[in-house]
């Protein structure tokens, strides 16, 4: 399928596919799974395909991560997925890749999302801004900032169907970022994730629906799901339930809990203007003095 075949009338529904995955510690195996799911999604009519956070590697073993990941220029997952997107003629959000990007004395990795155009070029990059440094209780704690260098810049990108705002996982707890993206013209927000089970059960759906409602955007959240086994450290559990949410807050697709799946949604992009006309919260915002 070429790019001209992938693009249709501006008022036609946009079919998106959320790839729900259970990535592990072998990037080669993860890549094979991603490619197979991309092909399934394209065969199902998707013009925009989205993968979850850390598509290439999910591990709690920081030493393994350090010796496994590659730089952007050398990463085989990025190179191959760009080629597959071009072959299929689809837009692709690689939810994020763990990449080695040392910068001076800061040798931490980056958690980077890529928006890939149907010709395989990189249309946008976004480095996750908010680091998941939390203690959930017991042995479940995360210090993402120890392994990853945070980004510092919000990113939007134009496509033939809509302007897209890029976010990753923990970013969804920071409404100001999403509002800035919407005020910057975004009609679709990506929210790829590897969400924990306790926080997913409590907050996942609520947060995503809130971000959609308050911005009047579609929110597309492809997620990791299930048990991610580790050979040298503790296993990790992720919540799944990849969601597509409409600007009025309706759930258009839910991939379910623990199993890998491809979930489809057809987006009527006129719903963005409709929602923002009915509740013009972006236009009605006023400056105020902080307490």
């Amino acid at each position: 399928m070429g790019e001209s075949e992938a693009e249709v009338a501006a008022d036609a529904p946009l079919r998106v596919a959320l790839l729900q995955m259970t990535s592990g510690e072998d990037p080669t195996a993860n890549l094979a799974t991603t490619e197979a799911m991309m092909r399934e999604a394209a065969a199902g009519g998707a013009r925009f395909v989205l993968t979850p956070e850390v598509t290439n590697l999910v591990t709690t073993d920081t030493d393994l991560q350090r010796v496994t990941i590659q730089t952007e220029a050398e990463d085989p997952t990025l190179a191959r997925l760009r080629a597959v997107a071009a072959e299929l003629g689809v837009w692709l959000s690689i939810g994020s890749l763990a990449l080695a990007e040392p910068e001076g004395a800061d040798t931490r990795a980056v958690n980077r999302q890529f928006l890939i155009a149907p010709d395989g070029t990189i249309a946008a990059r976004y480095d996750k801004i908010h680091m998941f440094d939390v203690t959930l209780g017991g042995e479940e704690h995360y210090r993402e900032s120890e392994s990853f260098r945070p980004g510092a810049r919000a990113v939007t990108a134009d496509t033939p169907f809509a302007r897209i705002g890029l976010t990753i996982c923990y970013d969804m707890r920071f409404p100001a970022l999403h509002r800035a993206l919407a005020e910057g013209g975004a009609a679709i927000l990506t929210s790829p994730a590897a969400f924990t089970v306790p926080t997913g059960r409590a907050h996942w759906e609520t947060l995503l629906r809130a971000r959609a409602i308050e911005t009047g955007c579609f929110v597309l959240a492809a997620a990791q799901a299930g048990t991610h086994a580790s050979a040298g450290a503790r296993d990790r559990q992720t919540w799944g339930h990849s969601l597509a949410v409409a600007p009025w807050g309706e759930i258009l697709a839910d991939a379910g809990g623990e199993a890998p799946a491809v979930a489809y949604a057809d987006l009527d992009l006129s719903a963005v203007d409709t929602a923002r006309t009915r509740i013009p919260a972006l236009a009605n915002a006023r400056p105020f003095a902080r307490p």
Side-chain angles (χ1 to χ4, degrees):
M1 182 190 298
E3 181 176 359
S4 61
E5 296 175 83
E7 295 176 11
V8 295
D11 59 350
L14 172 69
R15 172 155 283 202
V16 303
L18 308 177
L19 308 190
Q20 180 161 292
M21 301 174 59
T22 310
S23 297
E25 294 185 325
D26 181 353
T28 301
N30 297 333
L31 174 57
T33 298
T34 308
E35 179 173 342
M37 295 179 82
M38 281 182 65
R39 294 185 182 280
E40 178 183 344
R47 296 163 52 211
F48 185 24
V49 180
L50 301 96
T51 78
E53 183 181 20
V54 285
T55 292
N56 61 331
L57 179 69
V58 175
T59 182
T60 57
D61 188 335
T62 56
D63 291 332
L64 175 66
Q65 175 180 288
R66 188 176 303 110
V67 300
T68 301
I69 59 175
Q70 305 290 318
T71 65
E72 178 180 318
E74 298 171 336
D75 185 71
T77 298
L78 176 59
R80 180 58 187 162
L81 295 186
R82 289 177 63 185
V84 175
E87 177 190 339
L88 299 175
V90 297
W91 284 87
L92 171 66
S93 164
I94 304 174
S96 79
L97 300 175
L99 297 172
E101 291 291 331
E103 184 176 285
D106 192 342
T107 59
R108 289 176 294 176
V110 292
N111 191 344
R112 179 169 294 163
Q113 183 175 169
F114 293 90
L115 182 65
I116 309 300
D119 62 359
T121 58
I122 298 173
R125 298 169 177 82
Y126 166 69
D127 289 355
K128 183 176 181 179
I129 292 174
H130 299 100
M131 297 290 98
F132 191 55
D133 291 353
V134 304
T135 298
L136 299 177
E139 295 185 359
E140 192 163 9
H141 59 273
Y142 301 88
R143 294 292 180 270
E144 192 175 20
S145 64
E146 293 181 358
S147 300
F148 290 97
R149 183 175 72 244
R153 183 173 64 89
V155 175
T156 62
D158 289 324
T159 73
F161 45 84
R163 182 169 292 174
I164 298 175
L166 281 58
T167 80
I168 300 173
C169 200
Y170 190 48
D171 284 335
M172 75 177 66
R173 293 184 182 272
F174 299 86
L177 172 60
H178 298 74
R179 185 176 188 93
L181 294 169
E183 290 175 340
I188 296 173
L189 303 176
T190 63
S191 192
F195 228 67
T196 72
V197 171
T199 59
R201 183 180 294 113
H203 301 149
W204 171 253
E205 180 181 318
T206 301
L207 286 168
L208 291 170
R209 294 183 70 193
R211 298 297 83 84
I213 292 166
E214 67 198 11
T215 62
C217 288
F218 286 96
V219 173
L220 304 178
Q224 297 282 355
T227 300
H228 309 265
S230 176
R234 63 181 171 84
D235 293 350
R236 183 172 177 184
Q237 305 284 333
T238 52
W239 176 243
H241 291 282
S242 300
L243 293 184
V245 186
W248 200 246
E250 312 97 311
I251 294 176
L252 304 178
D254 183 339
E258 296 185 355
V262 179
Y264 299 93
D266 294 314
L267 311 188
D268 176 2
L269 292 166
S270 69
V272 173
D273 286 340
T274 299
R276 292 176 179 178
T277 299
R278 293 170 75 181
I279 304 290
L282 294 177
N284 289 348
R286 290 177 52 81
F288 55 88
R290 291 182 176 272

